[in-house]
Amino acid sequence: MKKIAIIPARSGSKGLKDKNIIDLCGKPMMNYSIEAAIGVACFERVIVSTDSEKYGRIATADGAEVIYRGGRLADDTATTFMVIEDLFSKIRMDFDYFVLLQPTSPLRTGKHIQEAVELFESRFSEFDFLVSMKEAEHNKHLVNPIDDDQSLKYFDTDFAGYRRQVYKDYSPNGAIFMGKPDAYLQQKHFFGNRAIGYIMNVFDSVDVDTELDYKFAELCLQERLKGNY
């Protein structure tokens, strides 16, 4: 099947400045996603969507194709759908599906991408989307809002006998998304009963958004480079 990889990398990060190209164990963080995608050697194109010429030069030097997006898609109000829709308007739609790889998942490897590709293609007639998932830290019954009155009225379950091992819930880890282009343009997201989950472990699911996330990703990569994982 023909497929392309899309790596969205805008430059306007507020929480962690320039997080998509921040140095992580010797190279820009986005390069981990580019190299993983190229290393799988199954994509027709590996495309970085960015608003920044600096980011574009880094991506090109690492072997990716670059397609620039306009300023309206460069701030934190731009949705993933808006970015993908914009990119689709600029390329030939001659592929069976696309794979979205967020650069903030540097622990996701080519092996994960290959496994997800094989899973999706083996169930292609049943599903339009694939989303990588991890086991959630807490069961959904342990996560509820607290109103201004600070009461625990939404926590109305007896947790005295709660054992984490018995209850397993999952959440998206942000590492891999796949979609058939027509289905995605119609639905505008990757979830629902036409989506299949690809399960990853917590270590490989690190998603860098804050300074603490960055430090943890750095530690994990160092342990991997030492051969400890």
Side-chain angles (χ1 to χ4, degrees), residues 43-118:
F43 295 112
E44 302 291 318
R45 306 168 74 174
V46 176
I47 303 170
V48 170
S49 167
T50 186
D51 61 300
S52 165
E53 291 187 6
K54 178 181 179 180
Y55 282 35
R57 289 192 297 270
I58 293 171
T60 301
D62 208 37
E65 176 184 352
V66 175
I67 293 181
Y68 290 97
R69 60 175 102 156
R72 73 181 185 88
L73 299 177
D75 61 28
D76 54 9
T77 64
T79 65
T80 298
F81 174 76
M82 291 165 62
V83 171
I84 293 175
E85 183 183 41
D86 173 74
L87 189 145
F88 282 176
S89 73
K90 298 174 179 176
I91 65 174
R92 281 173 33 199
M93 302 289 283
D94 57 349
F95 49 90
D96 297 295
Y97 67 96
F98 67 96
V99 179
L100 181 72
L101 303 170
Q102 298 191 130
T104 49
S105 297
L107 275 295
R108 175 245 298 111
T109 67
K111 182 175 183 289
H112 296 120
I113 297 170
Q114 185 62 52
E115 289 177 351
V117 162
E118 291 172 1

Side-chain angles (χ1 to χ4, degrees), residues 163-182:
R163 287 187 299 156
R164 187 175 182 273
Q165 296 86 346
V166 175
Y167 302 95
K168 283 191 178 182
D169 285 313
Y170 295 85
S171 61
N173 67 1
I176 303 172
F177 299 88
M178 298 183 181
K180 299 174 185 176
D182 289 341

Side-chain angles (χ1 to χ4, degrees), residues 8-216:
R10 71 180 182 90
S11 61
S13 173
K14 293 180 179 178
L16 187 60
K17 183 175 172 54
D18 275 331
K19 68 179 177 182
N20 289 324
I21 61 165
I22 193 171
D23 183 273
L24 184 61
C25 295
K27 59 186 172 184
M29 184 161 64
M30 131 177 112
N31 286 25
Y32 288 92
S33 294
I34 295 172
E35 292 166 13
I38 292 174
V40 176
C42 68
F43 295 112
E44 302 291 318
R45 306 168 74 174
V46 176
I47 303 170
V48 170
S49 167
T50 186
D51 61 300
S52 165
E53 291 187 6
K54 178 181 179 180
Y55 282 35
R57 289 192 297 270
I58 293 171
T60 301
D62 208 37
E65 176 184 352
V66 175
I67 293 181
Y68 290 97
R69 60 175 102 156
R72 73 181 185 88
L73 299 177
D75 61 28
D76 54 9
T77 64
T79 65
T80 298
F81 174 76
M82 291 165 62
V83 171
I84 293 175
E85 183 183 41
D86 173 74
L87 189 145
F88 282 176
S89 73
K90 298 174 179 176
I91 65 174
R92 281 173 33 199
M93 302 289 283
D94 57 349
F95 49 90
D96 297 295
Y97 67 96
F98 67 96
V99 179
L100 181 72
L101 303 170
Q102 298 191 130
T104 49
S105 297
L107 275 295
R108 175 245 298 111
T109 67
K111 182 175 183 289
H112 296 120
I113 297 170
Q114 185 62 52
E115 289 177 351
V117 162
E118 291 172 1
L119 173 62
F120 191 47
E121 293 191 1
S122 72
R123 308 287 297 275
F124 204 71
S125 62
E126 302 169 67
F127 297 100
D128 295 328
F129 309 101
L130 175 144
V131 178
S132 59
M133 309 289 287
K134 66 175 181 178
E135 186 177 340
E137 180 181 0
H138 301 295
N139 174 267
K140 59 189 175 185
H141 297 298
L142 293 175
V143 182
N144 288 291
I146 295 179
D147 288 342
D148 291 340
D149 65 0
Q150 295 184 290
S151 77
L152 300 183
K153 56 181 173 287
Y154 300 116
F155 292 82
D156 57 357
T157 302
D158 179 6
F159 298 112
Y162 171 79
R163 287 187 299 156
R164 187 175 182 273
Q165 296 86 346
V166 175
Y167 302 95
K168 283 191 178 182
D169 285 313
Y170 295 85
S171 61
N173 67 1
I176 303 172
F177 299 88
M178 298 183 181
K180 299 174 185 176
D182 289 341
Y184 181 76
L185 289 173
Q186 180 178 356
Q187 181 170 285
K188 302 183 180 182
H189 63 80
F190 296 95
F191 299 90
N193 62 358
R194 293 289 296 175
I196 187 171
Y198 167 68
I199 311 300
M200 292 173 59
N201 66 43
V202 174
F203 181 98
D204 297 323
S205 295
V206 176
D207 182 24
V208 178
D209 186 47
T210 66
E211 181 74 22
L212 183 60
D213 298 331
Y214 168 71
K215 292 295 185 183
F216 185 55

